[in-house]
Amino acid sequence: MDSHILRLLNSNKIFGLAWNWKGGAKLKPFPVIFQKAVSSIIPSGGTVIIPKSETVLHELELACFISKKAKNVPKSEAMDYIQGYCLALDMTSPSILTRHKEHGLSWDIGKGYDTFLPLSQYFPAKCISNPSNIDLELTINNQIRQKGNTKDLVFGIPEIIEYLSNIFTLNEGDLILTGTPPGASQVNPNDSLHGKMMENGKIIAELSAKIQSGL
Amino acid sequence: MLRGSLFSLKGPKVLCIAKNYFEHAIEMGAKDVPPNPVMFQKPLSSIISEGQNIIIPKGVEVHHEIELAFFLSKQGKNIKPENAYEYISGYCLALDLTGRNIQAEAKKNSWPWDVSKGYDTFLPLSSFIPTSQVPNPYELELELKINGITKQKGQTRSMHYKIHDILSYISQVMTLNEGDLILTGTPSGVGPVRKGDVLESFLTSSGNVILQSRFIAE
């Protein structure tokens, strides 16, 4: 097989779910899926750049890494396919998304700018005993903006894996962002974001990002 | 590489430009080509090579879209149009298979296109041809035949946003990496793919076929 194609086949992808929190305005009967560009990743402590003249929101999420090739996985077996987790900020530009949605276009630009995916350190699955009972909290400049528990995901990790793997073959190392609690709000230059995830009061992971205006 | 470390995620991607041939834009219901390149991703899991079959998912109306695609030779960000061609290592023929009914529902609801464009096997790729064998990407002809009958035929000079426009535009949004694949749009004549169809793609330069591929839909 061609080496260029082989390289593509051995690389990873990132999926996210829209509107996947209970109590949200737009509940759908099935998951609404988008992709993040792998080039949008920055590590914790990095700087998110707001594209010139655009608005950007923060969306704190629990993200899971796939452990092995997954295709047509029933939800009862889905957790066998998770190797670990991280905390993620699915940074999103609603101003860009709105312009694209008005023309029925896809979301890749509004979701895919460089720096639009700060990720915490990876931690293995055994660090969490119940991914359906994880508290997420996001503060901006020490003020709480988002707060929720993953019990309120509309589609939990098993349903997500089942749905995704019916359409797409998932590979070891693929990342899935599971959804964000209410409270996503606009970020401004010089804002300092801090996210944390806790289980039964114990902090499992933290994630920070600074905001800067683009040129 | 695939150990769950966040750095294993920094790898290649596949990007596509929509409605980049005027007549195709019109057949898709637009009045003109878009004012800026319209870009979307195909997931890497949709790729197949010759010898693998296209699988038509149940309930999905699959359409073919033959495209010229190019590979990035090196990383680039904010690429200047005058430097664009330094960033290309070569080309391939791609079929941007699309679940047209799924895409129509997505457009109606303002949902993303990732499912409609991203089913497994929805990105059949030909083998690679280096730039040395393609001195001018704008004097090529694309042709798709299904069961021996020509369905799509177009000249790459009709590509609205040229490769340098595409690279300049996308690289302002996203850093492009070595090995990234970019599909440059499809000419008019898109239509359904049915079980049993044999899809043959041809890239021709001055009457000579320089690249071709053959895929069967099951």
Side-chain angles (χ1 to χ4, degrees), chain A residues 55-81:
Chain A
T55 55
V56 175
L57 307 178
H58 54 81
E59 296 191 6
L60 186 71
E61 321 219 350
L62 172 65
C64 57
F65 284 91
I66 301 295
S67 59
K68 56 187 177 181
K69 184 167 151 178
K71 181 67 188 175
N72 295 326
V73 172
K75 55 186 183 229
S76 55
E77 294 170 26
M79 297 312 291
D80 294 343
Y81 291 79

Side-chain angles (χ1 to χ4, degrees), chain B residues 130-215:
Chain B
T131 51
S132 53
Q133 290 182 40
V134 189
N136 183 353
Y138 307 111
E139 53 96 39
L140 306 170
E141 183 178 82
L142 292 164
E143 185 178 6
L144 174 72
K145 292 185 183 179
I146 298 190
N147 305 329
I149 298 170
T150 298
K151 298 290 183 180
Q152 289 186 272
K153 198 164 182 165
Q155 314 300 319
T156 55
R157 66 171 176 267
S158 302
M159 197 189 291
H160 181 76
Y161 291 107
K162 299 289 191 275
I163 291 171
H164 48 270
D165 301 310
I166 293 169
L167 279 177
S168 164
Y169 179 79
I170 298 184
S171 69
Q172 286 172 58
V173 175
M174 304 179 174
T175 296
L176 296 172
N177 287 312
E178 182 190 348
D180 279 0
L181 179 66
I182 302 184
L183 275 58
T184 61
T186 197
S188 60
V190 299
V193 176
R194 300 194 174 93
K195 204 172 148 94
D197 280 350
V198 177
L199 284 73
E200 291 172 295
S201 305
F202 302 92
L203 186 68
T204 309
S205 172
S206 307
N208 300 315
V209 174
I210 57 173
L211 205 49
Q212 62 186 69
S213 72
R214 183 176 184 273
F215 289 94

Side-chain angles (χ1 to χ4, degrees), chain B residues 60-118:
Chain B
V60 179
E61 188 192 320
V62 179
H63 272 212
H64 55 77
E65 296 191 5
I66 183 174
E67 317 216 355
L68 177 67
F70 63 92
F71 283 93
L72 272 284
S73 59
K74 57 184 183 178
Q75 192 178 77
K77 173 80 182 169
N78 297 322
I79 296 171
K80 295 192 168 81
E82 59 266 28
N83 299 331
Y85 298 91
E86 294 168 17
Y87 287 82
I88 301 174
S89 57
Y91 301 87
C92 70
L93 277 173
L95 288 172
D96 174 22
L97 298 180
T98 305
R100 199 62 83 197
N101 54 338
I102 311 291
Q103 187 192 35
E105 197 193 6
K107 285 179 177 177
K108 195 176 86 178
N109 289 289
S110 301
W111 295 340
W113 293 4
D114 299 81
V115 170
S116 67
K117 290 285 186 179

